Amino acid sequence: LEYVEAAHFPTILKEYRSRQLYLSHKLYQLPIVDDILKQAFDGLVLCSADIFRVTTLILFIHNFGDLHVELMGEASVDVNLEKSFIMDASGEMVGWARQNGYGFIDLNVFANNLKNLPRDAMKETVSLQRKIITYVWDNFVEIAEDASVYLVAYGGASFPISELFKARDVTKKLKGVAQIIGKSQTPAQVTRVTGADDWFVKNGVVYVGVDSKDEALFGPRAGIGRIEQLSTTALRGPVVMQRCIPRLDELVKSGRPFGHNLA
């Protein structure tokens, strides 16, 4: 295995973010024993030290650093501005959880910049994402026996959610799923998974910063849960994240199913 020689911007962003989350919130790297997963996601799976002791656990899945998705349609990149967007939004999410005494697992599914991986692992990015999300679920989330688990997914990490629901019966452990969807992002849909599709609709909420009139993506048949429109104009994903935190806070503390309409 060889690392790509030239350090590229997404790598710098991810490394900077990991360091800041350790300094600010004491998030530590989770151990990965699988060689391929370790090479692909080394430094990208972080957690608080209390994940096996808390009664509430937040599993935050995202793809920060994937500028192809973040900047779709943008003509140029301001490095400092992108760093600020990512750090401010994700820092607020982690800070909210830690201030409330919740355990926190931070999973970045945007794999490290690698080459010469075995062919079967390079067929699709989805292959690696499916493996890392199930690895984290099996080895950490599933054995946090006393915790009520809430899955929060940011934009480009929506597809791995679908893969997790296909690979594991997570409905007994999960209490709710919140998706954060901004400009150029689409929500996960859990379909054709026995028992999971109905659960997803009843226990899922999607915080939207884009036009949600697209029936294929956001209509009743999409099977994504309740829609909360946070803006009538297109918003970047990090902005949607910041705006949804007070709503997510109220929902988790209320104990209501995420899919129920608020009074």
Side-chain angles (χ1 to χ4, degrees):
L1 179 71
E2 298 178 11
Y3 284 85
V4 175
E5 293 181 358
H8 67 321
F9 181 52
T11 299
I12 295 171
L13 268 182
K14 290 187 289 186
E15 290 177 352
Y16 175 80
R17 179 177 178 274
S18 295
R19 176 171 172 76
Q20 290 303 114
L21 289 180
Y22 170 73
L23 294 174
S24 301
H25 301 287
K26 290 296 182 287
L27 293 193
Y28 301 88
Q29 292 188 26
L30 277 175
I32 302 175
V33 296
D34 180 279
D35 289 340
I36 292 178
L37 291 181
K38 182 175 177 59
Q39 293 168 60
F41 297 100
D42 189 34
L44 301 183
V45 188
L46 311 174
C47 74
S48 57
D50 56 1
I51 59 173
F52 297 125
R53 303 192 303 270
V54 294
T55 56
T56 301
L57 177 62
I58 306 297
L59 173 58
F60 181 46
I61 305 175
H62 59 88
N63 64 330
F64 284 140
D66 188 351
L67 299 184
H68 174 73
V69 173
E70 291 287 345
L71 301 175
M72 192 174 294
E74 302 291 336
S76 61
V77 178
D78 183 320
V79 174
N80 289 324
L81 183 60
E82 291 311 310
K83 183 175 71 174
S84 177
F85 273 142
I86 291 173
M87 290 309 304
D88 289 351
S90 62
E92 288 183 31
M93 179 64 70
V94 180
W96 159 73
R98 299 306 290 152
Q99 288 167 15
N100 282 282
Y102 304 154
F104 199 88
I105 296 177
D106 184 284
L107 171 57
N108 189 341
V109 296
F110 183 43
N112 290 319
N113 192 29
L114 305 175
K115 62 181 180 179
N116 294 339
L117 283 172
R119 182 175 298 179
D120 62 347
M122 284 297 291
K123 288 180 180 179
E124 296 180 356
T125 302
V126 172
S127 175
L128 286 173
Q129 293 179 338
R130 180 190 301 115
K131 290 176 181 177
I132 190 62
I133 194 171
T134 54
Y135 177 88
V136 170
W137 182 268
D138 291 345
N139 292 281
F140 301 100
V141 179
E142 185 66 42
I143 61 177
E145 297 180 352
D146 297 327
S148 296
V149 181
Y150 296 90
L151 193 160
V152 180
Y154 172 77
S158 61
F159 190 79
I161 297 179
S162 303
E163 293 300 300
L164 178 62
F165 272 80
K166 291 176 184 176
R168 299 290 185 270
D169 179 7
V170 300
T171 60
K172 296 178 181 179
K173 187 75 174 177
L174 277 181
K175 297 301 182 183
V177 176
Q179 298 189 67
I180 300 166
I181 304 298
K183 181 180 179 182
S184 304
Q185 299 170 337
T186 57
Q189 300 177 350
V190 176
T191 57
R192 297 183 294 277
V193 180
T194 304
D197 46 357
D198 288 341
W199 183 96
F200 203 74
V201 170
K202 295 176 182 177
N203 296 279
V205 61
V206 185
Y207 297 109
V208 179
V210 295
D211 184 358
S212 61
K213 295 179 182 178
D214 187 330
E215 287 293 315
L217 293 178
F218 300 102
R221 294 185 179 181
I224 61 173
R226 180 170 54 85
I227 305 296
E228 284 203 27
Q229 186 87 40
L230 302 188
S231 173
T232 56
T233 58
L235 296 177
R236 295 278 297 280
V239 179
V240 181
M241 186 185 305
Q242 291 172 313
R243 291 192 181 186
C244 83
I245 289 174
R247 296 173 183 240
L248 182 60
D249 176 65
E250 193 277 334
L251 198 52
V252 170
K253 290 176 179 176
S254 73
R256 294 193 304 272
F258 282 17
H260 282 194
N261 289 322
L262 297 177

